[in-house]
Amino acid sequence: MNVTTPDSTSDLYASFVLGNYGTPACTLTRGEGVYVWDSEGRRLLDFGAGIAVTSIGHCHPHWVKAVQEQAATLVHCSNLYRHPGQGRLAQRLCGYAGPGKVLLCNSGAEANEAMLKLARLHGRAKTGEEGKCFKVLTAEKAFHGRTFGAMAATPQEKIQGGFRPMLDGFAHGVFNDLASFEALVDDSVAAILVEAIQGESGVNPATVEFLQGLRALCDKHGLLLMMDEVQCGIGRTGRFFGFEEAGIVPDAFSMAKGLGGGIPIGAVWMRDAHAPLFKPGSHGTTYGGNPLVCAAANAVLDVIESEDLLAQVTAQSKGWIKRLQELERKFPALVEEVRGRGYMVGVALKVDPMPVIQTLREKGMLAIPTGGQVIRLLPPLTATVEDLDRSVELLADALSNHLQA
């Protein structure tokens, strides 16, 4: 029997794992709270959170207990049958979102695919004909996933390049420019899909006026307003959903990432008025909403509620962002802007961020590059003031090193 040691993991990757993600930066062996450990035994402050996934940190005791107990009870149950966890999770998500129905699936991309189907079903119901009202408007620089429908909704060369022709039925306005969306509306448009904060293009928050304007535009023309909450939802901004900042309610929105706390899950909420458009077979998923992932997601919600994490993120993030913004003054040659909300922050640099991110990792912190020249910081919602302060110290140290290089 071959035993895989940490030292051989990189060789196994090089020999057998498809190079779809480039060369992984390091080998991680365990996690606890806001920290992970690599194969050399170094402790790293994880401010990427698995790209916003480990929302309550690594191996939270309540989450571990819930997953272990469920794993020993019933792991899988196809959607041919019911189990208590799925109904309970859907009820709790509706409690945050408002009256409606929830569809559970495997990922954010799959959740967005379900919303694209909803748009077409809405267009057919609106006109009484198939293929007449089907178009979805999305924003330039948006990111909605890498399945074919989601790619077509994502007008970025790095996503679409090499895979054209894209699916028909999409047009793209300018993010935070309401007039550009209004100019695209005609009888063929069924819905608008946007993110409250564009995560993959550099952490760009939508303005309140833009989101409120889209809501009014959709109401005026009978369009669905659909929000992609895959990255900015589940408490990341200090509100449970990112769109709450604008005081609006969409017709449908997607969730994923932080909902499972590390186990794959996607979800779509839609208003009661639109739920009947989905019939048995409109969408399908073998693993979506199984007992194990529902136990994990319910445990995530338990922790967010019992530890009052939304209030904690709101209170602590203001000082953290302010301290990060002081780096603009301290390193004017390197830092262009610090932007974002809650625990979803982008540090836009005037230089390539990769050397800084590498230095950060060497000094003991994980962060993620994103669109343009931006370092994305996505700490677990459980991060304390001390953790946040440490992240600022490490980033300042890495920037200082880069300045001296």
Side-chain angles (χ1 to χ4, degrees), residues 6 8 28 31 36 45 48 51 115 141 156 229 237-238 264 272 298 311 317 333-334 339 343 345 347 357 375 382 397:
S8 69
L28 301 182
V36 290
L45 185 64
I51 314 183
M115 284 206 299
K141 298 182 181 179
Q156 295 190 48
E229 289 280 321
T237 68
D272 278 329
N298 275 311
S317 63
L334 298 178
R339 57 181 180 250
Y343 281 8
V345 170
V347 180
I357 288 173
I375 296 175
T382 49
D397 201 10

Side-chain angles (χ1 to χ4, degrees), residues 104-262:
L104 297 176
C105 50
N106 296 315
S107 68
E110 191 181 9
N112 285 337
E113 292 284 345
M115 284 206 299
L116 298 178
K117 287 183 173 180
L118 174 65
R120 295 209 171 192
L121 293 172
H122 170 71
R124 185 179 64 178
K126 183 179 174 182
T127 62
E129 296 182 43
E130 197 161 47
K132 187 174 182 179
C133 177
F134 62 98
K135 194 177 292 181
V136 176
L137 305 183
T138 66
E140 293 178 358
K141 298 182 181 179
F143 180 81
H144 298 296
R146 296 173 190 270
T147 53
F148 256 100
M151 276 202 307
T154 300
Q156 295 190 48
E157 177 60 29
K158 68 178 182 180
I159 303 298
Q160 295 185 351
F163 300 107
R164 295 188 178 90
M166 290 291 108
L167 297 180
D168 193 18
F170 295 89
H172 313 290
V174 179
F175 194 60
N176 278 333
D177 183 345
L178 181 62
S180 71
F181 277 81
E182 193 164 13
L184 294 171
V185 174
D186 59 25
D187 291 341
S188 70
V189 176
I192 295 175
L193 170 62
V194 294
E195 300 153 272
I197 301 179
Q198 291 186 328
E200 300 297 320
S201 60
V203 190
N204 302 306
T207 66
V208 168
E209 294 77 16
F210 177 61
L211 293 183
Q212 291 177 344
L214 290 181
R215 179 68 273 177
L217 184 63
C218 289
D219 290 342
K220 179 181 178 181
H221 294 280
L223 315 179
L224 297 184
L225 177 60
M226 308 190 301
M227 302 291 300
D228 183 334
E229 289 280 321
V230 167
Q231 187 167 147
C232 65
I234 321 298
R236 182 138 298 278
T237 68
R239 298 177 184 271
F240 200 82
F241 302 117
F243 59 76
E244 292 181 61
E245 182 77 13
I248 63 166
V249 178
D251 294 291
F253 62 88
S254 56
M255 299 162 267
K257 290 188 178 290
L259 181 57

